[in-house]
Amino acid sequence: MANSTLCVLILLIVGFVIFLPPINVFCYDVFGYYMYLPLQFKYNDIYIHDFDKFNELLQQYKPSETFYQAIQWKNGNWVMRYPCGAAVLYSPFYFLSDSICGFTNYAQDGFSKPYQWGILLGCAFYTCLGLFFIKKILSLYFNQIITSITLVVLVVGTNYFFNVACHGGNAMTHNLLFTLYAILIYNSILWHKQFQIKRLIVVAICMGLCFILRATEILCVLFPLLYGVYNKETFFNKVKIIRVYANQFFIGVIIILAIAFIQFSYWKYVSGSFFINPYGASNPGEGLELFKPHIIESLFSFRKGLFIYSPLLILAFVGFFYLYRAKKSLFASTFIYFVISFYVITCWSCWWYGACYGNRALIPTYVALSLPLGFCIERILKNRFKVLFLGVMYLLVGFNCFKMWQAHVYILDLCDVTRDYYFSTLFQNKSTTESQRLLLHKGKSNSGTEIFTKNDSLTHTLAFAKFENFESTRTINLSRTDSCFNFEIPINQITNKRYTWIQAGASISIEDTINLSGEFNIQMKHKGYIFKLKRRSFKGLSLVPKTNNKLQFYYLVPEDLRSKKDLVSVSIVNRGKESIKINNVFIKSYEPIIDKSFY
């Protein structure tokens, strides 16, 4: 029965991948994961020295609106923003696609359709492999019926299916990590029963690959280390096992370091240093803040809350109790790994992880959650109200499938859902209206000019104001290139709420407009690095010489601020030869009367 269930689920996922493929597999983040391969093996230009040639490919395939996937380092080389782990796993399918492409009329440029289909189907293979090992894990502890029900709940009762079967999501790291975790956990369990070195080698390979897919996945080491430990006696027994099989562990550590060296050697090769953080350097407004978790939002928010988009996983949380009672040897490794991983995931400043159905960053943790989920389902099947429970589970699986369909046809927004928007589209089967779209969060994915509307004035109230008047006129030095004036205030002095509007203004005077060039800017700063910069060029303003010109515009504070110490920075920059005199500047903030960002 479990094998039949697995086959049906695999056919369903593969069917979606084949018959509803993305228009361009190599877009946005996937383009960044993949670039290593054609740059190194097709163009022999891992530095991107010939940017004109690379720019032609960008214009042809249009992977994203901007080339954010790499950053130009201090030495002039371009450094990939994302780790190389996905490229390592893509590589067998890249080389196969490259060979096949030579027999077709498609361009053998590393990005044409044969390459896209090769990576798409290759990642579908990894999906199938992951589910195969999940079934093997579950079969170690449960009968065919429980294994089948758990598989169905895990695949189509959560956001897993959407993120591996739709919109090219199977090429994202979350799908690959899910498979690696399934192989890792299965072999970890068997190693503790048989102590075969081949099992430990597989575990070590998976650990190394997890690390170069995403550095925080080094937490995967918690499962094998804590397996079998639940009291003082078992702790010392685990220490004894490590000592007895020290040679195996030594080999495992060497394998992990060897795989990690792939990433370190790339950084050294292109930047000159073994340890860099190109992601942080290119995107200072987004990152890991270990003392600023978003736990409540990650669980209950209508934007991406786990229990909103995968409500059946509540059973997994309840199942930890039954897991402890039934298999203490599994409890600590599963529970501690999940709790720490979940905490770290919620510490990412952009805690909703962009456009996806539910929180895609949690998908790798579902492998560990499958165990308590199975034990909870086992308990349900022993309950006298099992028919009622199974009926509710069936309805929730159906409801989740409906919501995934809504997301697929863009009725349910993939990024900026609010509580009001969620309920306004709850059972909707047609396109959303303009009034419904106004209910969405004004998040970081919104583009264009930010306008403080009449509705905003009704839902926000003045919370802060600071003026700076100068006793004597302050003149920007015209002899210096790009001379500027900055007016900066920590965000925690302005507001502690999300979706706060900043009104910034200044009064300036000029002698003439002939040689006038410059801009009036508002931006955020994190540890000196600028993010979310908004500019107003003087050339687009009707400035009058020899009089006070009042400048002002509105700016929506980014919702995913990394620190309360981040600065709101207002700057006036002179890029021309004309004198600019600043008479005063001010910053005001308008906070939402009701903060709806959580729920």
Side-chain angles (χ1 to χ4, degrees):
M1 182 178 181
N3 288 332
S4 299
T5 303
L6 177 65
C7 289
V8 170
L9 293 174
I10 285 175
L11 287 173
L12 188 63
I13 290 172
V14 173
F16 267 76
V17 169
I18 292 175
F19 295 108
L20 292 172
I23 296 173
N24 183 5
V25 175
F26 303 140
C27 62
Y28 298 103
D29 292 5
V30 175
F31 183 71
Y33 302 142
Y34 175 74
M35 274 201 303
Y36 291 88
L37 296 170
L39 287 178
Q40 176 62 36
F41 299 108
K42 181 64 61 177
Y43 301 101
N44 194 27
D45 188 15
I46 198 70
Y47 302 110
I48 317 183
H49 281 168
D50 187 1
F51 190 81
D52 290 339
K53 173 61 179 176
F54 187 69
N55 193 48
E56 291 177 10
L57 294 168
L58 292 176
Q59 298 303 316
Q60 180 179 355
Y61 291 102
K62 296 180 173 55
S64 55
E65 289 79 7
T66 60
F67 182 42
Y68 70 86
Q69 295 89 349
I71 178 174
Q72 194 164 24
W73 209 246
K74 301 171 186 177
N75 60 6
N77 295 333
W78 287 85
V79 181
M80 247 61 90
R81 183 180 179 187
Y82 301 108
C84 64
V88 171
L89 291 172
Y90 295 158
S91 59
F93 306 101
Y94 165 81
F95 292 119
L96 179 61
S97 301
D98 191 53
S99 299
I100 294 173
C101 192
F103 297 97
T104 71
N105 293 325
Y106 288 97
Q108 202 169 2
D109 59 5
F111 297 96
S112 60
K113 282 298 181 181
Y115 297 95
Q116 296 194 34
W117 274 102
I119 300 304
L120 190 68
L121 294 177
C123 289
F125 166 76
Y126 287 130
T127 303
C128 299
L129 189 65
L131 292 178
F132 173 75
F133 275 95
I134 283 286
K135 198 270 296 185
K136 290 176 75 70
I137 293 171
L138 295 173
S139 297
L140 293 174
Y141 303 101
F142 309 113
N143 62 32
Q144 297 286 303
I145 295 175
I146 296 170
T147 298
S148 296
I149 296 174
T150 305
L151 280 171
V152 170
V153 170
L154 198 67
V155 174
V156 291
T158 69
N159 63 327
Y160 173 83
F161 181 87
F162 183 89
N163 286 289
V164 302
C166 303
H167 296 278
N170 74 345
M172 294 287 284
T173 57
H174 317 96
N175 177 39
L176 304 176
L177 285 166
F178 181 93
T179 295
L180 290 173
Y181 269 100
I183 299 171
L184 185 154
I185 288 177
Y186 177 73
N187 283 278
S188 294
I189 294 170
L190 291 192
W191 183 85
H192 283 86
K193 294 180 178 180
Q194 305 163 353
F195 301 111
Q196 294 176 312
I197 190 171
K198 66 178 183 180
R199 300 293 181 186
L200 193 61
I201 288 174
V202 172
V203 169
I205 292 172
C206 289
M207 285 184 180
L209 290 172
C210 284
F211 175 74
I212 63 173
L213 274 162
R214 187 188 297 156
T216 54
E217 298 302 333
I218 194 62
L219 293 171
C220 66
V221 73
L222 291 172
F223 186 90
L225 278 183
L226 296 175
Y227 181 88
V229 177
Y230 55 89
N231 58 22
K232 184 178 179 180
E233 180 182 351
T234 54
F235 172 78
F236 286 109
N237 184 55
K238 189 59 177 279
V239 173
K240 182 180 178 181
I241 290 173
I242 293 174
R243 287 176 178 174
V244 171
Y245 296 97
N247 290 339
Q248 290 191 26
F249 278 91
F250 178 75
I251 293 172
V253 170
I254 294 299
I255 291 172
I256 293 170
L257 292 176
I259 295 174
F261 189 73
I262 299 172
Q263 183 66 62
F264 298 141
S265 61
Y266 164 75
W267 284 336
K268 177 66 175 177
Y269 189 63
V270 297
S271 75
S273 177
F274 280 111
F275 301 97
I276 64 171
N277 182 12
Y279 191 99
S282 65
N283 188 19
E286 185 177 324
L288 190 66
E289 297 295 326
L290 286 175
F291 301 103
K292 190 184 176 184
H294 301 272
I295 295 172
I296 300 299
E297 301 99 308
S298 297
L299 288 174
F300 300 106
S301 170
F302 282 94
R303 187 173 208 167
K304 291 291 171 68
L306 180 67
F307 294 150
I308 301 297
Y309 290 88
S310 301
L312 280 171
L313 286 182
I314 293 174
L315 298 177
F317 281 61
V318 174
F320 276 118
F321 173 74
Y322 300 114
L323 174 61
Y324 178 77
R325 291 178 60 182
K327 288 288 179 183
K328 288 185 176 65
S329 60
L330 268 176
F331 176 78
S333 57
T334 305
F335 182 75
I336 294 176
Y337 156 75
F338 173 77
V339 169
I340 295 177
S341 292
F342 177 78
Y343 179 86
V344 171
I345 288 169
T346 67
C347 288
W348 195 253
S349 57
C350 180
W351 58 268
W352 60 94
Y353 290 86
C356 52
Y357 178 74
N359 190 333
R360 64 190 177 195
L362 289 172
I363 287 175
T365 69
Y366 293 176
V367 178
L369 286 180
S370 67
L371 289 163
L373 177 62
F375 279 101
C376 188
I377 291 172
E378 182 181 53
R379 182 70 178 182
I380 286 173
L381 294 181
K382 294 178 181 178
N383 193 286
R384 60 178 177 172
F385 298 110
K386 65 180 179 181
V387 175
L388 177 61
F389 280 118
L390 291 172
V392 172
M393 289 169 61
Y394 176 81
L395 290 175
L396 287 175
V397 167
F399 180 71
N400 186 66
C401 290
F402 174 72
K403 300 305 287 185
M404 287 191 290
W405 171 81
Q406 281 189 321
H408 182 67
V409 297
Y410 300 104
I411 293 172
L412 184 65
D413 189 82
L414 296 176
C415 198
D416 298 313
V417 174
T418 63
R419 177 186 58 193
D420 293 338
Y421 182 88
Y422 183 89
F423 283 110
S424 76
T425 61
L426 189 60
F427 295 109
Q428 189 165 315
N429 61 1
K430 56 184 178 181
S431 299
T432 54
T433 64
E434 182 61 31
S435 61
Q436 285 178 310
R437 288 189 286 274
L438 290 174
L439 299 174
L440 292 168
H441 284 304
K442 294 179 178 179
K444 63 181 289 183
S445 64
N446 297 113
S447 59
T449 304
E450 293 177 337
I451 301 174
F452 188 72
T453 65
K454 181 178 180 180
N455 183 64
D456 289 319
S457 67
L458 298 175
T459 58
H460 290 68
T461 183
L462 180 66
F464 173 88
K466 184 172 182 178
F467 291 80
E468 193 72 46
N469 292 303
F470 304 106
E471 293 181 1
S472 60
T473 301
R474 176 136 181 194
T475 305
I476 293 178
N477 191 337
L478 302 181
S479 63
R480 291 185 300 156
T481 303
D482 293 337
S483 55
C484 68
F485 167 78
N486 291 300
F487 186 47
E488 299 177 343
I489 303 175
I491 189 65
N492 59 6
Q493 294 183 19
I494 297 177
T495 184
N496 60 1
K497 291 187 177 181
R498 293 169 171 80
Y499 304 104
T500 293
W501 283 92
I502 299 294
Q503 182 189 25
S507 176
I508 66 172
S509 58
I510 56 175
E511 292 297 319
D512 206 337
T513 59
I514 296 176
N515 296 312
L516 180 65
S517 178
E519 66 248 6
F520 181 35
N521 303 329
I522 306 180
Q523 61 260 319
M524 298 298 304
K525 286 186 177 180
H526 177 75
K527 296 182 177 180
Y529 291 99
I530 292 174
F531 63 99
K532 198 185 177 185
L533 169 63
K534 293 289 184 179
R535 289 191 175 102
R536 286 287 178 89
S537 174
F538 292 152
K539 292 182 179 180
L541 302 175
S542 300
L543 300 180
V544 180
K546 299 180 180 180
T547 186
N548 284 337
N549 294 273
K550 294 183 179 180
L551 311 176
Q552 69 175 35
F553 70 103
Y554 288 91
Y555 175 92
L556 184 61
V557 175
E559 58 191 305
D560 54 334
L561 288 178
R562 296 186 60 174
S563 170
K564 293 180 180 179
K565 297 179 182 179
D566 286 349
L567 298 174
V568 175
S569 176
V570 175
S571 62
I572 298 174
V573 182
N574 184 7
R575 302 194 186 281
K577 298 179 180 180
E578 187 60 56
S579 172
I580 299 176
K581 297 180 180 180
I582 305 172
N583 302 313
N584 61 65
V585 293
F586 71 85
I587 292 178
K588 297 180 182 179
S589 74
Y590 294 89
E591 290 182 342
I593 298 171
I594 300 175
D595 188 349
K596 297 182 180 181
S597 59
F598 283 156
Y599 309 109

